[in-house]
Amino acid sequence: SQKIEQNSEALNIQEGKTATLTCNYTNYSPAYLQWYRQDPGRGPVFLLLIRENEKEKRKERLKVTFDTTLKQSLFHITASQPADSATYLCAPADTSGSARQLTFGSGTQLTVLP
Amino acid sequence: DAGVIQSPRHEVTEMGQEVTLRCKPISGHDYLFWYRQTMMRGLELLIYFNNNVPIDDSGMPEDRFSAKMPNASFSTLKIQPSEPRDSAVYFCASHTDRGALIRYGYTFGSGTRLTVV
């Protein structure tokens, strides 16, 4: 069955450092992968998308890589700030058939310490 | 646009009672999804609709759960009878079409935190 794994432990880093979150998937081949941010008491918010033919995508201080051979995506936040503290979810998705829904990883809780 | 609106934000009910959760998607969004989030299982898809028609309800845990979408601006998720293991945060999400899903992702509501005692 399809499986998505994110950093199992919460991640604490010092302000100003780069945070790196991992998303591994097995038993399917996603055509693209999305990353979401979730704050306590709120629904997830879409951050960015990377397609299978893209190695890297950047948006401001965010960088995402997608390695279809390793079946892994890395999500980086450079120059991290306390306001970046949240849970980050990955959602690899295929475009086969009539698929319209996303399957989410369990998330990694990031805390940026001042 | 006010985004995806869910009500109530919090619901506490006794085991055996009926619970109804409500969702108003963003106007023009043809797809509506109900997800459940728990610490143990993360975000799980329960059911989704396209143009008010249920397309995939394979995630609905059992017959105690039912969902309806009587029109494009309203959906309900009902649990009858409720059980303590149903305690979770229930999210509604929507998007316009497959292309928009890829480019912009889902828009989620703020969720309903359900506690069954």
Side-chain angles (χ1 to χ4, degrees):
Chain A
S1 62
Q2 297 177 351
K3 192 174 180 182
I4 305 166
E5 290 185 337
Q6 297 191 239
N7 302 57
S8 57
E9 300 292 328
L11 184 62
N12 295 334
I13 64 165
Q14 209 64 41
E15 182 176 7
K17 300 293 187 184
T18 297
T20 299
L21 284 62
T22 304
C23 175
N24 295 297
Y25 56 89
T26 54
N27 296 328
Y28 68 125
S29 300
Y32 62 93
L33 189 146
Q34 297 184 346
W35 283 89
Y36 288 73
R37 168 183 172 141
Q38 186 174 20
D39 291 286
R42 311 291 295 179
V45 174
F46 173 75
L47 294 176
L48 41 60
L49 158 89
I50 186 165
R51 298 177 187 273
E52 62 179 340
N53 60 352
E54 298 174 313
K55 295 294 185 186
E56 182 180 297
K57 198 81 166 280
R58 291 176 185 264
K59 179 181 177 183
E60 299 173 353
R61 294 184 296 108
L62 307 180
K63 185 180 85 171
V64 173
T65 62
F66 194 6
D67 189 326
T68 55
T69 300
L70 292 178
K71 295 187 179 295
Q72 179 182 82
S73 175
L74 298 178
F75 179 84
H76 307 271
I77 306 175
T78 59
S80 60
Q81 305 166 0
D84 296 325
S85 298
T87 296
Y88 293 86
L89 305 164
C90 70
D94 63 43
T95 54
S96 62
S98 62
R100 298 288 185 273
Q101 65 270 42
L102 296 176
T103 302
F104 290 84
S106 55
T108 297
Q109 185 176 345
L110 172 68
T111 301
V112 181
L113 304 168
Chain B
D1 199 318
V4 176
I5 300 172
Q6 291 187 246
S7 64
R9 286 298 312 274
H10 302 275
E11 177 80 39
V12 180
T13 191
E14 290 186 347
M15 183 174 63
Q17 296 298 306
E18 177 180 295
V19 176
T20 299
L21 312 181
R22 298 172 176 79
C23 175
K24 176 180 168 54
I26 291 174
S27 177
H29 281 198
D30 297 330
Y31 291 85
L32 183 141
F33 302 80
W34 282 99
Y35 279 84
R36 176 171 70 177
Q37 187 174 41
T38 60
M39 289 291 291
M40 289 296 295
R41 301 173 68 89
L43 264 174
E44 301 175 280
L45 177 67
L46 300 176
I47 185 171
Y48 83 92
F49 295 83
N50 176 214
N51 291 324
N52 314 336
V53 176
I55 302 299
D56 185 351
D57 65 355
S58 59
M60 296 285 261
E62 48 199 272
D63 292 345
R64 297 185 298 106
F65 286 68
S66 63
K68 294 182 180 179
M69 192 163 185
N71 56 61
S73 60
F74 184 65
S75 176
T76 59
L77 178 68
K78 185 177 293 186
I79 308 172
Q80 164 65 15
S82 57
E83 296 182 4
R85 61 194 168 116
D86 301 331
S87 297
V89 181
Y90 291 81
F91 287 104
C92 178
S94 68
H95 69 82
T96 52
D97 56 33
R98 185 160 163 270
L101 169 61
I102 294 173
R103 291 191 300 274
Y104 307 119
Y106 285 156
T107 301
F108 281 85
S110 293
T112 295
R113 180 174 294 278
L114 173 65
T115 303
V116 183
V117 298

